[in-house]
Amino acid sequence: MSVIEAIRAGRTFEPAVHPQIALEPFVLQASGFSLWYGKAQALHGVSMHVPRGKVTALIGPSGCGKSTFLRSVNRLNDLIDGVRVEGRLVLSGQDLYAPDVDVIDLRKRMGMVFQKPNPFPMSIFENVVYPLRVDGENRRRMLEEACERSLRGAALWDEVKDRLRQSALGLSGGQQQRLCIARAIVADPEVLLLDEPCSALDPIATLRIEELIHEISQRYTVLIVTHNMQQAARLSDFTAFMYLGRLVEFGPTAEIFQRPRLPETEQYVTGRFG
Amino acid sequence: MHDEANIRRTSLTARGEPKQWLFGGALVVALSLIAGLLVIVVVEGAATFWPRPLELAALRDGTRVLGVPMATEVYSPTAEQRVAIEGLRARGELGGFAQDSAGRALRRLYRVANRELGHDPFRWVPLHEVESVERPREALFVERRSWGPWIGIPEALLEVDRVRIAEGEPLPPAEGMVDGVGVRYVADGGGGEGAYVRTREVARGAEATIAALRAALPALAARRAEIERINKVEIGRVNAAQEWWRLRVREMEIRLAEASEPAGRLGWPAWSGVVVAAVVAGVGWVRLRGVPGGGQRAGRRLGAWACGLVALLAGMGAVLERPWGARAITAEEVAGAREEAGAAQGALQAEFDALRARVARLEAEDARVRVVVRDVTTGRFAPVRQSEPEEPLAASQVVRAVQPNVLGLGGRLGVYGSRWWEFVAGEPREVNTEGGVFPVIVGTVLMTLLLAVAVVPLGVIAALYLREYARQGAVTSAVRIAINNLAGVPSIVYGVFGLGFFCYTVGGYIDSGPEHAASRGAWWAVAVVTGVVAFAGVALVAMSRPVPGTLPGSRHRWSRRLAALAWLGAAIGVAGLLVATPYFRGMYRANLPNPTFGGRGLLWASLTLALMTLPVVIVATEEAIAAVPRSAREGSYGCGASKWQTIRRIVLPGAMPGVLTGTILAMTRGAGEVAPLMLVGVLKSVSQLPVDLQAPFLHLDRSFMHLGFHIFDLGFQSPDSDAARPLVWTTTLLLVVVVVVLNVAAISMRGRLRARLRAGAF
Ligand SMILES: Nc1ncnc2c1ncn2[C@@H]1O[C@H](COP(=O)(O)OP(=O)(O)OP(=O)(O)O)[C@@H](O)[C@H]1O
Ligand SMILES: [Mg+2]
């Protein structure tokens, strides 16, 4: 019986996890992680390891729970009433949903970039150093250094270095998204969470962001959600395919795209299903 | 090719055109009403100060009327008048000015002023009685410091000297008194001493008199200003110093009387216990907060709260009871202070007398120059005061002498400008019907600004709580409905509440302390209970939070409800502690029974209106907060910001334009409100501005004047409301201008903010 039928029938099944994953050191580990929005279950016992220092792509049809999984990692779902979780999410040995976890501290260890660029209504400089400011850093020198470093990291420095004091809302869409990336990496996070960072951008801006992610991935662990198969293939080291709130197949990107274990994965990555 | 049948099928009604006309028409009516209102206020208000010509009407019976023509209208003559008119017409003697183009009889309203003469300052003249009208060059419109304007023909400028003669000195020969000029004897002092008054003529004839008067006016005005300065500033300063000394002694006397009351303070062993408890709790607090990572966070936080509570109570005890520093005042100290105050008062009294003497000298000097301006109807000249009809008007009483019939456009503009300036920058005279409205403007603006200062933080905090912190549900909906209903409560209700609560209750408390203070033991018992209840509230709130990722159960819901109850109880406890504190005896008790804050005043008026306009600010702010995009908040949380940081850095700046909209609405409503102000702080006239150069510069306890009330007062409460009517328009215009200026300032601020928020939204 195919995986899809098993899911539809409500039966449990083992996701096809390629053995190479087990060889990688991991930074984030989900085990049997389920999430409910009120009565509706959005994640069904997801178990996966996110390898340290690599780019992992989450793919899957719309509504399969990719964003939900990403938002569970930095606990943004806490802001929504009626969210319930089961199972464990562990970041570097720390259970993210333990009662004594300091959420704020936790979120500071991750950077998140959203589907739509969301610069704050303040200057470019203030936008970039916002995570440092809320962390209580107020020394001008430090802030300026960090701002330049992360703007360079986000390949935005040359474009905005003369207008740091101007409103960030005056930037173009692609620039805004790179600004959000700069903001996400300014505090040196352990994990970078990217939720379809290029979906609102034109091909050129997308290309620049992809280059940027590629560069960043040398230093950070990146978990990226994308609908663009080429992008997943180009960018990521590992790819996880999700369907209806379950992890279906997880392995090195090359294998997922060329020799998937499951026919569903093959159909999805070749665009015949989803 | 078009299809005829199709076009016919769509009727006009179906296309909605008639409705469009109807709606458009309604809009036009509404707009023209608003525009009409503005135009009338502006035109009438601006016309008041324009110098109008003076007309001399010679009546057929020989009377002459000199006045400002105010209006000419058609009327229906009585039978006698009709006969007279027909007779005149038959003889061809009826002037063209006496009838309109259709031959109907006209009458004209003259403002004849000259109130001392005992007649109505306005007079209707049927124009058929008039033989001729002219505009005499020399006719003079004299604006005076009191009794309103005087209209007449200037005759002479005199200088009056009062000469004292020693005993035995011969009197100069009495000259005949002609038109008030000459030598006159007056009984002065008695006992053989005497004095005479010699009047010298400086100028005679209309032109010469006016020229001489013009020349004399600047010096007179300077002297007037000096007199006023001494009266206000110097004498005010002396009075304030005298009051200060009086209050100082009184305060010490009260403290001496209290010191004789039984003390019954705790002894040193008990205090040692309190100090030890405070130290232990403080150390516990620091340790519990300082330990990093691990362990039961919630439990640690509660422990910290408990320690903080103990430390707070112990610290309060130490501050309030002052076990080491409360030294009672002694009778000797009071006696010393009394002596010192006596000496100071003596010196101040001497200074006061000297100032008064100086004022008297200046005033005597002031009264020397007189001007004779004769009323044409009665032939009487303007008197120095109504009780002395034979003494001509002192030139120093003249504010402005206008010869409207010879003024060119430039001259008219000059008079117009100077009248406006006097209106805006001057003090009111003559029960507000003349002079300026400077104190009124100051009062209005200050009240409105204070209102904004009070209402904005309160409204924003309330809206933040409602929108960001409160759990959205039945309770918050009920609160929202209640707030919206508050906006509809008649304003006078707020006035009554303000008078009863702010002025008498809160103000009385500030003045004289709690009415019935509790005993210290009972008070501390309540304080401890309140502290425990507040602590229970904190603990219950902590218990009402479910473990992250799980849903709240009934245990959490009940904890939340109990926490709300506990907070309510703690709030009641704190209120009770304030109401019955034995440690506060009032800040202005030395001044009692005169109220300081316990009466009507600027602060209470502002707070009352702040309360009234609070719903506007809350609603506007709430909407603005709700409009801050979710993505911005999530971005902020994603950066590791706490809730408060997100609110302060993202939500509040984003909601600022909305807050300003609420502020604008609140200020506009507050600035134009009259009814509640009449109850809580506005007076018809005040002797002192609420701001001045005496510490603390802003006197929140003082009453003030307000443009809205001023309009009502001018129009309907003044002795000469006909004459004051034009001022009603002018004051209304000013009120509109003040509101517009406040609004424009706020709107431009909002515009700048919005531009910053939206820059480059393309
Ligand atoms: N705030 C919410 N309240 C209730 N249900 C939600 C909420 N957010 C998401 N869901 C539901 O959870 C499921 C997973 O949603 P999610 O946003 O994670 O999908 P996704 O994989 O990111 O889809 P897309 O590719 O379209 O972004 C969907 O069925 C969605 O309807
Ligand atoms: Mg999504």
Side-chain angles (χ1 to χ4, degrees):
Chain A
M1 189 205 290
S2 81
V3 172
I4 305 292
E5 280 161 9
I7 292 175
R8 295 225 169 107
R11 242 167 286 157
T12 52
F13 69 98
E14 273 304 303
V17 178
H18 297 221
Q20 291 93 322
I21 302 283
L23 303 176
E24 295 286 336
F26 55 87
V27 59
L28 181 74
Q29 178 193 29
S31 35
F33 188 77
S34 303
L35 185 144
W36 287 261
Y37 289 113
K39 294 227 158 23
Q41 189 169 6
L43 292 177
H44 299 255
V46 173
S47 300
M48 68 184 279
H49 294 173
V50 178
R52 181 184 296 278
K54 294 279 160 47
V55 179
T56 304
L58 284 177
I59 59 171
S62 184
C64 71
K66 307 179 295 288
S67 301
T68 302
F69 183 73
L70 220 57
R71 291 164 53 89
S72 308
V73 173
N74 72 348
R75 284 187 50 182
L76 272 186
N77 282 329
D78 287 13
L79 305 177
I80 300 167
D81 274 340
V83 167
R84 184 164 69 81
V85 301
E86 264 176 26
R88 278 158 61 86
L89 263 180
V90 178
L91 178 78
S92 310
Q94 183 177 19
D95 185 353
L96 296 183
Y97 281 84
D100 61 343
V101 149
D102 185 344
V103 193
I104 290 170
D105 186 54
L106 180 79
R107 290 190 188 131
K108 281 176 184 153
R109 289 163 58 189
M110 313 185 196
M112 175 129 186
V113 177
F114 297 80
Q115 188 165 347
K116 257 177 60 190
N118 58 349
F120 303 137
M122 34 178 107
S123 71
I124 293 171
F125 176 78
E126 287 300 327
N127 256 282
V128 176
V129 301
Y130 186 83
L132 302 178
R133 284 249 194 241
V134 299
D135 207 14
E137 177 65 77
N138 274 321
R139 282 167 298 175
R140 191 94 232 149
R141 281 274 312 282
M142 298 286 284
L143 293 179
E144 273 164 6
E145 276 171 27
C147 176
E148 178 171 350
R149 189 165 8 93
S150 91
L151 279 174
R152 281 190 195 282
L156 192 59
W157 174 252
D158 292 325
E159 284 158 75
V160 300
K161 63 170 185 276
D162 300 323
R163 46 192 286 206
L164 289 177
R165 303 280 150 215
Q166 288 172 27
S167 169
L169 301 181
L171 295 174
S172 79
Q175 288 174 325
Q176 287 186 356
Q177 194 62 306
R178 275 180 281 151
L179 181 72
C180 292
I181 294 178
R183 189 172 71 196
I185 60 177
V186 74
D188 262 324
E190 291 170 38
V191 182
L192 201 56
L193 308 169
L194 307 170
D195 191 350
E196 298 180 47
C198 304
S199 65
L201 305 180
D202 68 276
I204 307 225
T206 303
L207 207 67
R208 304 196 63 164
I209 302 245
E210 278 180 19
E211 281 166 10
L212 174 60
I213 293 170
H214 188 71
E215 243 171 70
I216 287 173
S217 67
Q218 321 289 320
R219 274 169 289 145
Y220 303 103
T221 305
V222 178
L223 191 55
I224 178 171
V225 172
T226 177
H227 278 289
N228 183 332
M229 292 307 122
Q230 285 88 18
Q231 188 173 61
R234 276 197 302 270
L235 269 182
S236 63
D237 304 309
F238 297 93
T239 300
F241 172 51
M242 291 178 70
Y243 183 67
L244 287 182
R246 280 102 172 154
L247 179 67
V248 175
E249 184 164 353
F250 183 26
T253 302
E255 289 204 12
I256 293 283
F257 279 86
Q258 281 145 28
R259 294 184 300 280
R261 296 270 172 89
L262 301 176
E264 290 79 10
T265 312
E266 187 186 357
Q267 284 171 2
Y268 182 76
V269 298
T270 52
R272 272 177 284 145
F273 148 78
Chain B
M1 241 192 90
H2 65 257
D3 186 344
E4 290 276 331
N6 260 348
I7 289 176
R8 244 186 297 126
R9 220 177 292 135
T10 319
S11 74
L12 270 184
T13 331
R15 289 190 193 176
E17 292 220 348
K19 273 172 203 110
Q20 193 180 338
W21 299 330
L22 182 71
F23 298 158
L27 181 65
V28 166
V29 169
L31 286 184
S32 43
L33 281 177
I34 294 169
L37 175 132
L38 281 181
V39 166
I40 289 181
V41 167
V42 169
V43 167
E44 291 274 357
T48 306
F49 294 138
W50 189 252
R52 307 225 215 154
L54 283 170
E55 207 169 81
L56 178 66
L59 271 47
R60 292 180 202 283
D61 62 1
T63 7
R64 298 194 306 156
V65 176
L66 180 64
V68 184
M70 304 297 287
T72 307
E73 65 175 31
V74 174
Y75 73 111
S76 51
T78 61
E80 283 162 45
Q81 283 173 330
R82 191 161 294 133
V83 170
I85 291 171
E86 288 314 318
L88 285 169
R89 191 171 281 147
R91 272 175 275 141
E93 285 176 16
L94 190 64
F97 55 81
Q99 52 191 341
D100 70 355
S101 51
R104 287 176 299 178
L106 293 175
R107 65 182 172 194
R108 185 166 289 170
L109 179 67
Y110 284 103
R111 180 179 189 190
V112 292
N114 306 3
R115 260 198 302 143
E116 287 102 320
L117 299 178
H119 57 59
D120 193 337
F122 288 84
R123 176 167 175 182
W124 279 107
V125 178
L127 286 182
H128 73 272
E129 289 176 15
V130 176
E131 198 158 10
S132 67
V133 290
E134 56 170 326
R135 293 188 171 176
R137 289 174 53 80
E138 65 274 17
L140 198 64
F141 187 89
V142 185
E143 291 165 42
R144 299 179 295 175
R145 232 168 272 289
S146 52
W147 283 92
W150 182 276
I151 295 172
I153 308 293
E155 259 179 33
L157 193 78
L158 313 175
E159 231 176 63
V160 179
D161 288 304
R162 176 172 288 245
V163 185
R164 194 173 269 281
I165 33 177
E167 208 170 340
E169 197 183 314
L171 288 169
E175 299 166 17
M177 293 286 290
V178 182
D179 289 343
V181 181
V183 171
R184 201 152 47 78
Y185 297 102
V186 288
D188 197 22
E193 264 185 77
Y196 65 93
V197 171
R198 188 175 51 211
T199 310
R200 209 159 51 75
E201 201 170 86
V202 178
R204 180 159 289 279
E207 295 302 324
T209 304
I210 290 171
L213 181 62
R214 292 255 158 81
L217 277 180
L220 291 168
R223 198 182 294 133
R224 259 286 126 202
E226 171 70 5
I227 292 174
E228 243 148 55
R229 194 189 62 80
I230 295 173
N231 271 337
K232 264 206 135 111
V233 181
E234 308 256 339
I235 293 186
R237 179 176 53 75
V238 171
N239 280 341
Q242 283 179 324
E243 183 69 4
W244 188 84
W245 280 106
R246 187 183 75 75
L247 291 180
R248 190 180 130 97
V249 171
R250 178 92 186 98
E251 174 74 35
M252 290 178 95
E253 283 169 358
I254 293 173
R255 271 172 53 202
L256 182 63
E258 274 165 8
S260 61
E261 286 169 18
R265 292 172 190 279
L266 294 183
W268 66 267
W271 273 111
S272 310
V274 169
V275 169
V276 168
V279 169
V280 169
V283 168
W285 186 72
V286 169
R287 285 203 43 183
L288 283 171
R289 292 201 59 118
V291 186
Q296 279 289 318
R297 280 191 90 84
R300 271 220 344 263
R301 211 171 311 138
L302 283 186
W305 272 95
C307 289
L309 180 70
V310 172
L312 177 76
L313 283 173
M316 250 166 67
V319 170
L320 290 178
E321 287 279 333
R322 269 174 306 184
W324 48 85
R327 197 176 57 83
I329 194 167
T330 61
E332 289 80 60
E333 277 173 309
V334 178
R338 214 175 272 146
E339 209 163 287
E340 198 184 350
Q345 293 280 26
L348 286 168
Q349 190 61 43
E351 197 178 341
F352 179 78
D353 292 340
L355 286 170
R356 288 308 291 263
R358 208 162 126 218
V359 168
R361 261 202 317 281
L362 285 169
E363 266 173 354
E365 186 72 10
D366 219 32
R368 280 187 57 224
V369 185
R370 306 295 180 92
V371 58
V372 181
V373 185
R374 211 173 279 280
D375 178 67
V376 297
T377 315
T378 58
R380 308 261 293 278
F381 53 73
V384 67
R385 56 187 70 86
Q386 199 185 21
S387 53
E388 291 176 57
E390 291 312 319
E391 290 278 325
L393 183 72
S396 67
Q397 285 176 286
V398 176
V399 176
R400 200 178 288 107
V402 183
Q403 240 180 319
N405 295 344
V406 299
L407 279 182
L409 183 65
R412 271 168 211 272
L413 280 176
V415 171
Y416 185 68
S418 94
R419 281 179 178 170
W420 261 111
W421 175 246
E422 189 199 350
F423 183 66
V424 173
E427 304 269 330
R429 290 181 269 115
E430 283 294 281
V431 252
N432 292 348
T433 56
E434 284 187 21
V437 291
F438 181 68
V440 194
I441 299 177
V442 169
T444 310
V445 170
L446 258 186
M447 195 276 296
T448 312
L449 290 181
L450 277 176
L451 144 78
V453 165
V455 75
V456 170
L458 200 60
V460 169
I461 289 171
L464 271 182
Y465 186 82
L466 260 184
R467 183 58 68 178
E468 292 284 325
Y469 288 101
R471 189 171 299 272
Q472 305 299 315
V475 179
T476 40
S477 303
V479 169
R480 283 205 184 93
I481 293 172
I483 287 171
N484 279 316
N485 283 338
L486 272 183
V489 172
S491 57
I492 190 79
V493 175
Y494 285 99
V496 173
F497 171 78
L499 183 66
F501 181 70
F502 288 131
C503 299
Y504 294 152
T505 309
V506 182
Y509 180 83
I510 292 176
D511 277 3
S512 56
E515 218 164 302
H516 307 287
S519 74
R520 298 216 304 278
W523 193 83
W524 278 104
V526 174
V528 170
V529 170
T530 305
V532 170
V533 170
F535 176 71
V538 173
L540 284 165
V541 166
M543 277 167 61
S544 75
R545 296 216 177 94
V547 175
T550 63
L551 294 176
S554 69
R555 187 172 69 92
H556 300 108
R557 274 196 291 279
W558 277 108
S559 303
R560 211 166 60 224
R561 282 170 205 156
L562 284 177
L565 271 185
W567 285 121
L568 191 69
I572 293 174
V574 169
L577 288 177
L578 281 179
V579 165
T581 173
Y583 295 102
F584 178 65
R585 304 267 177 104
M587 289 165 71
Y588 300 95
R589 54 191 171 163
N591 203 21
L592 291 173
N594 295 333
T596 306
F597 277 97
R600 298 142 29 97
L602 181 61
L603 178 64
W604 305 138
S606 307
L607 288 187
T608 304
L609 289 198
L611 197 66
M612 188 185 84
T613 49
L614 192 57
V616 178
V617 177
I618 292 183
V619 169
T621 309
E622 250 206 284
E623 271 165 22
I625 289 174
V628 172
R630 200 188 161 76
S631 66
R633 287 164 207 255
E634 288 193 336
S636 169
Y637 286 120
C639 289
S642 66
K643 182 157 198 167
W644 169 241
Q645 285 170 327
T646 303
I647 288 175
R648 208 186 75 61
R649 290 166 186 267
I650 307 291
V651 177
L652 268 189
M656 219 47 206
V659 173
L660 278 176
T661 304
T663 312
I664 293 167
L665 290 174
M667 277 169 46
T668 312
R669 175 136 191 241
E673 198 57 68
V674 180
L677 291 181
M678 290 173 17
L679 297 185
V680 291
V682 158
L683 285 188
K684 185 184 173 68
S685 87
V686 294
S687 54
Q688 291 167 307
L689 282 180
V691 270
D692 59 21
L693 293 177
Q694 256 153 33
F697 310 115
L698 179 61
H699 302 270
L700 294 174
D701 54 314
R702 288 189 187 161
S703 297
F704 61 104
M705 296 171 81
H706 183 269
L707 280 168
F709 181 69
H710 198 72
I711 292 170
F712 169 71
D713 182 58
L714 273 178
F716 306 99
Q717 306 286 296
S718 64
D720 189 3
S721 56
D722 274 338
R725 186 111 338 133
L727 273 185
V728 171
W729 289 109
T730 316
T731 316
T732 309
L733 178 63
L734 207 60
L735 177 59
V736 172
V737 168
V738 166
V739 170
V740 166
V741 164
L742 287 174
N743 265 319
V744 164
I747 288 174
S748 76
M749 222 158 96
R750 182 177 63 182
R752 261 208 305 268
L753 265 180
R754 281 207 179 131
R756 227 178 58 203
L757 287 178
R758 283 226 192 102
F762 38 80

